[in-house]
Amino acid sequence: MKLPLEISSKNVHLSEEMEELIRDKASKLDNIFDQIIGCRIMVDIPHRSQRSGMQYNVRIDITIPGGEIVVKREPDEDLYSAISNSFDVAQRRLKDHAGKQRGEVKFHEEKPVARISKLFPDEGYGFLLTPEGREIYFHENALISGRFKDLEIGTVVSFIEQLGEKGPQASSVSLT
């Protein structure tokens, strides 16, 4: 890190052990991505709830060339867990950022598209016709966007093809 680590707390006292944990976790961030400019950690207890007791918030602001990575997790009842979980998220985000900088981009294959060719609304299934002319079965439970009863023949959808008991079938069918 180019700038010294900043640790602050609000409404909570950080023991030397907790501060050392934060310093150790922050140094590991520097090992993941060596271009970190600065890192600020804020630990606080926003309010006490009678139902859930004390909840610790941990916020990590990491300044990097061209931007900032901010981690703010859901509150946790255990301070050690709140710190560890927040740094785990920060590590994943830094690894993703470092990968993008090296040109390692995750490739997500495009979902194929098809048109609805047959519908059997009373039975809750239908068939899709792919651009190659193949017919693929789909069940109403495979529909992830829209309502089955609103579908019409000719509607364009995207889907994921899987091998079913009786041949190819579509899952994760969504309107395009």
Side-chain angles (χ1 to χ4, degrees):
M1 279 179 229
K2 313 279 187 274
L3 299 174
L5 177 66
E6 295 178 36
I7 302 172
S8 58
S9 62
K10 181 178 172 187
N11 300 328
V12 62
H13 170 73
L14 291 177
S15 66
E16 285 185 34
E17 179 185 337
M18 288 299 141
E19 283 198 27
E20 186 58 37
L21 173 68
I22 290 170
R23 289 183 206 294
D24 181 51
K25 299 268 186 192
S27 71
K28 290 179 182 174
L29 295 179
D30 217 14
N31 293 338
I32 292 170
F33 188 70
D34 62 357
Q35 297 177 31
I36 296 174
I37 296 169
C39 183
R40 293 178 308 282
I41 291 91
M42 166 59 111
V43 179
D44 75 336
I45 301 174
H47 54 79
R48 295 173 192 239
S49 168
Q50 289 182 346
R51 280 184 279 145
S52 58
M54 289 194 303
Q55 298 281 310
Y56 296 96
N57 282 338
V58 176
R59 179 184 169 116
I60 303 173
D61 295 295
I62 305 167
T63 306
I64 54 177
E68 191 168 58
I69 295 174
V70 177
V71 175
K72 182 161 175 34
R73 303 269 305 145
E74 289 294 315
D76 198 309
E77 290 179 7
D78 179 52
L79 179 57
Y80 181 88
S81 294
I83 292 168
S84 294
N85 292 339
S86 295
F87 274 98
D88 289 347
V89 172
Q91 285 182 358
R92 283 193 302 272
R93 290 190 185 167
L94 273 175
K95 283 178 184 176
D96 287 347
H97 180 77
K100 286 178 186 173
Q101 289 227 320
R102 288 189 303 267
E104 299 169 3
V105 179
K106 293 180 182 175
F107 177 72
H108 296 284
E109 191 173 310
E110 289 285 325
K111 284 187 183 180
V113 294
R115 293 190 183 278
I116 297 175
S117 60
K118 297 177 188 167
L119 280 174
F120 301 92
D122 294 336
E123 290 83 18
Y125 71 94
F127 288 90
L128 305 176
L129 185 62
T130 68
E132 300 85 35
R134 296 183 312 121
E135 213 169 46
I136 300 176
Y137 165 87
F138 77 99
H139 190 269
E140 67 182 329
N141 292 340
L143 191 63
I144 58 173
S145 72
R147 296 185 325 192
F148 188 79
K149 68 178 186 175
D150 294 337
L151 295 179
E152 296 177 357
I153 293 177
T155 301
V156 177
V157 296
S158 63
F159 66 99
I160 295 174
E161 185 174 338
Q162 296 180 332
L163 187 59
E165 291 177 19
K166 298 180 182 179
Q169 75 180 40
S171 70
S172 302
V173 177
S174 57
L175 303 173
T176 56

